[in-house]
Amino acid sequence: MSVLIVVECDGGEVKKSSLEVASYGSQVAQLLGTTATAVAVGEATEANLAKLGEQGVAKVLYDKEPRLKDFVNGAYTKLIATAAQQEDAKVIVLANSNIGAAVGSRLSVRLQASLATNVVELPKTEGGSFTVKRGAFSGKAFADVKLDGERKIIAVKKNSIEALHEAGKTAEVVSFSAQLTDADFADAPKQVVMQDQAGGILLPEADKVVSGGRGMKGPENWNLIEDLAQALGAATACSKPVSDVDWRPHHEHVGQTGITVSPNLYIACGISGAIQHLAGVNSSKVIVVINKDPEAPFFKAADYGIVGDVFDVLPKLTQAVKELS
Amino acid sequence: MKFLVCISNVPDTTTKITFTPDNKEFNKAGVQFVINPWDEYALTRAIELKEAQGGTVTVLNVGEADTEPNIRKALAIGADDAIRVNAFPKDAFFVAQQIAAIAKEGSYDVILMGKESIDYNGFQVHGMVGELLGIPTVAPAMKLDMSGNTATLEREIEGGKEIVEVNAPFVASCQQPMCEPRIPNMRGIMTARTKPLKVVEPTGEGARTEVASYALPPAKQGVKLIPAENAGELIKLLRNEAKVI
Ligand SMILES: Cc1cc2nc3c(=O)[nH]c(=O)nc-3n(C[C@H](O)[C@H](O)[C@H](O)COP(=O)(O)OP(=O)(O)OC[C@H]3O[C@@H](n4cnc5c(N)ncnc54)[C@H](O)[C@@H]3O)c2cc1C
């Protein structure tokens, strides 16, 4: 019996959210008095996988099948299910990402496991059952969920678990084959289109986000958002009307009908803070609001605020960040 | 093409969330329920595809009788008929079993639903249904086109999108910008009253998870305002006090 951790890799590197997942999984293993094994998906290098030791992982299973570079639901599900069976995994931990949700839900049926997504804390264990805390009602509440049965799958929300770093510890990387066949790749993507991300930081993975709304007045002013984001090492985002009128691409739109983010720092510039916008950002650890209207609803959800004109305030903030370093 | 569109009944987006005194259940008193916003993408896209290429659209809800106004709304938007599985939707697995059973019995070709429900935010049902039926799932899908039996979908991945081609039958969970969700018109509302709504009893096993209790997040401390003239001060606070940069 063990804990199996699914780590997603991209461009050879383990994704930040998977470092969090690895830390979560190894702490669960410790709770249960067992070891943590990871299984890698995506494009990985052995050196980077070995570094998962720093997050408490003992062993990493790695199938070098080149077609696993891109996400293929059928193949990933089989790969992870095979690893789970080989390792007799009673708990599987993965990221609450698009990949994690797609695979985790299939795995739960295949392995007859109970599943909790959007999980924000380590489980409380009692007898054979687990209780995990998960976000619900679009960030407006939490639910404590009891997971029954012999096997459990937990999808961990991004930025909700601190990644462990025990410098110098390495994991053993073991080659592994799930004997994947062509049939397992039937739903392989025909084409993968990566979108330009300002500063190369992926919005769903980012731990700092600078976001602009209609108060930015037009796309020509977005350099103010980008400059601050770049200085901070943050991703950029926007409100829905901004992407609706094509000032910014759809993949930057956060909120109820856009991407949900939970960074450590969310800076909202010229955004009113409508409830649908808040639904996608309200679980951010620290929220900063810049708005010239002191009555803007966003101030109620904010930790820090500046009542002022974004065109005046943003350059000052960027300047102040540059002076820090 | 036979489309099956799964809709869930959720509290309106602007609802203030409260729970029963024992924190075991959502407090429904005075709350308006709507079709889950993500499901509206699935519903509208199915209707558009039916209008373009022929076929039927059936809406399916797992819920008790109080969800029928929203099922009628889906019929008013343009679905042909509806099925309600008469049960409280206990968890994602329970719901997925009901959907899979109906999909199998009715031999539906395309099973669509929203990415997740805005109350439970599970993002699970799509994959469970796909696995129960042994067919592909594409989640979350931002675009869906059909040509004969073959569907071309755009699937969101972190930092980009993938173009995926699958043959029916398949499951997709939908999100924007798939289409512009429709609202019912007067004619739709009138005809919806006469469209068939079948009620069936649930099948399969019980739930695998149980909500032990709900809680609200701790209240915010209140905003700390920094004068605009001194904007740079904010950055120092973010470093020294909030410790986020
Ligand atoms: C079903 C549904 C789903 C939705 N989903 C989403 C969603 O996912 N995401 C989302 O964002 N919205 C969503 N919306 C829309 C949402 O209700 C709001 O309309 C939207 O968030 C408003 O965007 P905004 O704050 O950028 O614009 P506005 O409401 O126009 O606000 C602009 C703000 O900028 C301020 N401002 C103007 N000029 C300046 C300046 N020079 N300096 C500083 N401040 C300035 C103004 O005071 C104002 O507060 C949804 C709506 C519905 C009905």
Side-chain angles (χ1 to χ4, degrees):
Chain A
M1 106 112 161
S2 73
V3 172
L4 184 70
I5 296 160
V6 180
V7 292
E8 297 174 28
C9 305
D10 194 14
E13 304 235 8
V14 177
K15 288 187 189 170
K16 174 177 166 276
S17 51
S18 287
L19 297 178
E20 294 162 6
V21 165
S23 306
Y24 187 104
S26 56
Q27 288 175 77
V28 173
Q30 226 166 33
L31 263 173
L32 300 179
T34 175
T35 54
T37 300
V39 55
V41 293
E43 192 178 18
T45 67
E46 291 193 26
N48 278 325
L49 293 178
K51 276 206 283 192
L52 282 164
E54 296 184 354
Q55 283 74 46
V57 174
K59 179 168 88 177
V60 187
L61 306 177
Y62 180 32
D63 187 331
K64 287 188 187 140
E65 159 65 65
R67 288 178 291 179
L68 289 168
K69 175 175 165 290
D70 295 320
F71 172 59
V72 185
N73 203 337
Y76 278 32
T77 304
K78 182 168 165 189
L79 177 84
I80 299 162
T82 309
Q85 264 139 5
Q86 178 188 302
E87 298 295 311
D88 190 20
K90 294 292 184 268
V91 182
I92 299 174
V93 188
L94 29 72
N96 198 61
S97 60
N98 286 338
I99 291 177
V103 178
S105 53
R106 289 197 84 104
L107 278 175
S108 73
V109 170
R110 197 168 297 187
L111 301 174
Q112 299 185 330
S114 53
L115 167 65
T117 51
N118 220 8
V119 170
V120 297
E121 274 180 11
L122 286 168
K124 294 184 186 74
T125 54
E126 209 183 85
S129 106
F130 272 31
T131 304
V132 287
K133 187 173 175 182
R134 72 189 300 286
F137 294 96
S138 303
K140 288 191 269 187
F142 293 103
D144 276 333
V145 181
K146 240 181 91 193
L147 295 181
D148 290 326
E150 215 194 320
R151 287 207 184 94
K152 287 132 188 136
I153 304 178
I154 297 173
V156 183
K157 183 171 176 166
K158 290 171 187 175
N159 289 319
S160 54
I161 293 292
E162 199 82 44
L164 306 170
H165 281 289
E166 279 191 64
K169 278 185 79 177
T170 54
E172 181 195 2
V173 181
V174 180
S175 77
F176 166 75
S177 169
Q179 317 272 317
L180 298 170
T181 64
D182 284 352
D184 300 316
F185 290 89
D187 62 332
K190 292 273 170 288
Q191 196 193 341
V192 180
V193 186
M194 292 315 278
Q195 288 145 341
D196 277 348
Q197 307 275 331
I201 294 168
L202 293 183
L203 177 57
E205 292 272 308
D207 76 341
K208 297 184 204 81
V209 175
V210 183
S211 187
R214 213 142 50 176
M216 293 303 298
K217 304 284 193 291
E220 67 281 6
N221 300 320
W222 236 263
N223 61 317
L224 295 176
I225 299 276
E226 283 163 354
D227 289 348
L228 178 59
Q230 186 160 28
L232 283 168
T236 57
C238 67
S239 67
K240 181 170 187 288
V242 163
S243 65
D244 283 349
V245 296
D246 283 337
W247 292 358
R248 299 299 289 178
H250 155 72
H251 65 260
E252 285 200 1
H253 147 208
V254 293
Q256 177 88 68
T257 48
I259 292 179
T260 304
V261 293
S262 49
N264 288 321
L265 175 62
Y266 184 78
I267 305 183
C269 312
I271 304 177
S272 56
I275 196 148
Q276 295 89 355
H277 184 85
L278 287 177
V281 307
N282 59 5
S283 51
S284 307
K285 211 164 273 167
V286 172
I287 294 179
V288 173
V289 171
I290 304 156
N291 197 305
K292 67 178 182 189
D293 173 10
E295 303 295 322
F298 222 146
F299 284 116
K300 289 206 179 67
D303 300 284
Y304 296 94
I306 296 180
V307 178
D309 190 322
V310 286
F311 299 100
D312 161 48
V313 171
L314 279 171
K316 286 188 186 155
L317 295 181
T318 305
Q319 186 56 35
V321 175
K322 287 184 177 155
E323 281 164 13
L324 275 186
S325 39
Chain B
M1 231 4 81
K2 285 182 75 181
F3 294 92
L4 182 67
V5 178
C6 312
I7 62 169
S8 64
N9 197 56
V10 297
D12 175 48
T13 319
T14 56
T15 305
K16 187 167 191 295
I17 303 298
T18 61
F19 302 103
T20 51
D22 61 0
N23 283 324
K24 290 221 180 287
E25 272 168 59
F26 171 67
N27 180 10
K28 287 187 184 180
V31 171
Q32 158 126 27
F33 280 78
V34 296
I35 300 175
N36 182 43
W38 300 104
D39 301 347
E40 292 185 19
Y41 293 102
L43 176 63
T44 302
R45 191 62 192 136
I47 293 167
E48 288 174 356
L49 288 168
K50 172 193 91 160
E51 286 169 354
Q53 307 172 0
T56 56
V57 175
T58 301
V59 274
L60 168 60
N61 168 257
V62 180
E64 292 166 314
D66 59 356
T67 68
E68 288 197 3
N70 281 325
I71 300 178
R72 289 278 172 214
K73 188 177 164 201
L75 292 169
I77 291 171
D80 298 288
D81 60 350
I83 302 170
R84 179 170 69 81
V85 178
N86 186 31
F88 180 77
K90 285 177 231 145
D91 79 343
F93 179 66
F94 175 80
V95 171
Q97 284 179 107
Q98 311 312 319
I99 297 171
I102 301 274
K104 204 169 191 170
E105 194 180 293
S107 310
Y108 291 92
D109 304 297
V110 179
I111 303 157
L112 300 182
M113 60 187 74
K115 170 186 164 174
E116 64 180 24
S117 67
I118 63 164
D119 52 357
Y120 200 70
N121 304 111
F123 196 7
Q124 305 177 359
V125 174
H126 52 90
M128 292 177 171
V129 172
E131 186 72 18
L132 285 165
L133 294 172
I135 60 179
T137 334
V138 182
M142 301 187 288
K143 201 169 171 190
L144 164 62
D145 289 312
M146 303 268 322
S147 162
N149 206 35
T150 306
T152 306
L153 298 111
E154 271 182 29
R155 204 180 81 78
E156 185 187 89
I157 52 173
E158 274 85 3
K161 60 189 177 190
E162 290 174 352
I163 319 292
V164 186
E165 231 174 63
V166 290
N167 287 330
F170 67 91
V171 182
S173 72
C174 306
Q175 67 172 47
Q176 83 146 20
M178 181 166 279
C179 55
E180 197 50 54
R182 290 187 192 175
I183 46 172
N185 58 27
M186 207 51 206
R187 201 173 142 260
I189 294 167
M190 299 306 287
T191 53
R193 291 192 192 145
T194 59
K195 289 180 179 173
L197 193 171
K198 193 163 90 179
V199 179
V200 301
E201 291 307 313
T203 56
E205 303 160 42
R208 283 183 182 164
T209 63
E210 183 196 336
V211 176
S213 65
Y214 287 102
L216 295 172
K220 284 264 174 191
Q221 294 297 307
V223 57
K224 190 175 232 178
L225 289 176
I226 293 102
E229 313 79 77
N230 251 341
E233 193 57 31
L234 170 69
I235 298 301
K236 291 191 190 124
L237 288 168
L238 291 177
R239 167 157 289 185
N240 302 326
E241 188 178 84
K243 302 195 187 330
V244 285
I245 59 176

